[in-house]
Amino acid sequence: MTGASSGVGAETARHLSAAGAKVVLGAQIGLPDGAVVQTDVTDRQQVTALVQNAVNLHGRIDVMINNAGLMPLSPHEMERFDEREQAIDVNIKGVLWGSAAALPHFKQQRSGQFVNVSSVAGHAVNPGGAIYSATKYSMRVISEVLRQEVKPYNIRTTVISPGAVDTEVPGSVKADGVAASVADFYRDTAIPANSFARCVAFAIGQPENVDINEILFRPTNQQR
């Protein structure tokens, strides 16, 4: 799993580990019976090394969770090009590299599951969210195309779209006047990170002949 340093990634790693899964993380976090590989998801070779490490440790890889992400919210007129480019590299390329790294192993096993992380923002757009929504909508596109392509190999594909969940991602919003508003919204609305972890556990815990393709969830009091 990528993006496991904190927030939903760390909570999911703990949740799955407690349930008996053998977890290999692209992050900086310690877990019993787990392994940590420092991974920059924008570097394809590092993501490949993360997957290979999992195979070396356990002989196979059953689930690839592409979780790393950034949320560069800001109006176009602010021209925050560097953070937008970084978000494209992390949110899109990171998932492409993760999927490419795991796919050969899944094909050889004739089993496996991709879990890609989108967002409510991949379903509904708001001012200041053009780049973030575009990257998260792309998760739905990539996941659906991947789902169709890997059917001959008995591989499952899930995209999970959370709303406001207690995570470190709002901290990646740096734009003046936007960061404070986002922080306030998450403080008042966000639900615990274990809500995401439970969705992951549900999706990957289905029988092999059940493919949960998409989960969209929000706090009950979140309108959009």
Side-chain angles (χ1 to χ4, degrees):
M1 175 169 59
T2 65
S5 295
S6 57
V8 296
E11 183 62 28
T12 301
R14 295 188 188 97
H15 188 89
L16 296 179
S17 181
K22 296 177 180 178
V23 183
V24 178
L25 311 174
Q28 291 297 320
I29 180 175
L31 280 174
D33 301 320
V36 180
V37 179
Q38 185 165 349
T39 307
D40 176 357
V41 297
T42 68
D43 185 326
R44 183 163 54 90
Q45 292 183 339
Q46 290 190 33
V47 180
T48 300
L50 168 66
V51 171
Q52 188 60 53
N53 185 66
V55 175
N56 293 344
L57 282 172
H58 305 298
R60 60 185 291 124
I61 176 172
D62 294 307
V63 182
M64 181 64 187
I65 304 175
N66 292 303
N67 173 64
L70 299 173
M71 189 165 66
L73 302 180
S74 65
H76 274 307
E77 63 185 355
M78 284 189 169
E79 298 186 346
R80 300 178 68 88
F81 298 125
D82 289 345
E83 66 181 22
R84 292 173 183 174
E85 186 171 18
Q86 184 185 22
I88 291 170
D89 288 343
V90 172
N91 295 4
I92 299 179
K93 292 181 181 178
V95 174
L96 294 175
W97 304 158
S99 300
L103 183 55
H105 301 285
F106 287 171
K107 288 173 64 177
Q108 184 177 25
Q109 298 166 183
R110 298 194 68 80
S111 68
Q113 185 168 359
F114 295 104
V115 178
N116 298 330
V117 181
S118 181
S119 167
V120 165
H123 297 256
V125 299
N126 291 289
I131 299 302
Y132 183 60
S133 285
T135 64
K136 289 305 182 178
Y137 183 78
S138 74
M139 291 305 94
R140 298 173 59 204
V141 174
I142 291 169
S143 298
E144 173 57 17
V145 172
L146 189 60
R147 183 193 69 80
Q148 296 179 36
E149 292 178 349
V150 301
K151 283 301 176 184
Y153 310 106
N154 197 41
I155 298 169
R156 303 187 295 180
T157 304
T158 301
V159 57
I160 299 181
S161 300
V165 173
D166 187 12
T167 175
E168 79 288 352
V169 172
S172 64
V173 181
K174 304 297 184 183
D176 292 340
V178 180
S181 176
V182 171
D184 289 345
F185 172 74
Y186 271 76
R187 184 193 64 237
D188 297 338
T189 309
I191 52 180
N194 63 16
S195 60
F196 177 86
R198 293 195 306 272
C199 288
V200 173
F202 171 77
I204 69 177
Q206 299 302 305
E208 191 172 293
N209 63 346
V210 177
D211 190 5
I212 302 296
N213 301 133
E214 187 162 5
I215 297 175
L216 168 63
F217 73 101
R218 298 173 172 88
T220 303
N221 64 346
Q222 181 179 344
Q223 291 188 349
R224 290 182 60 84

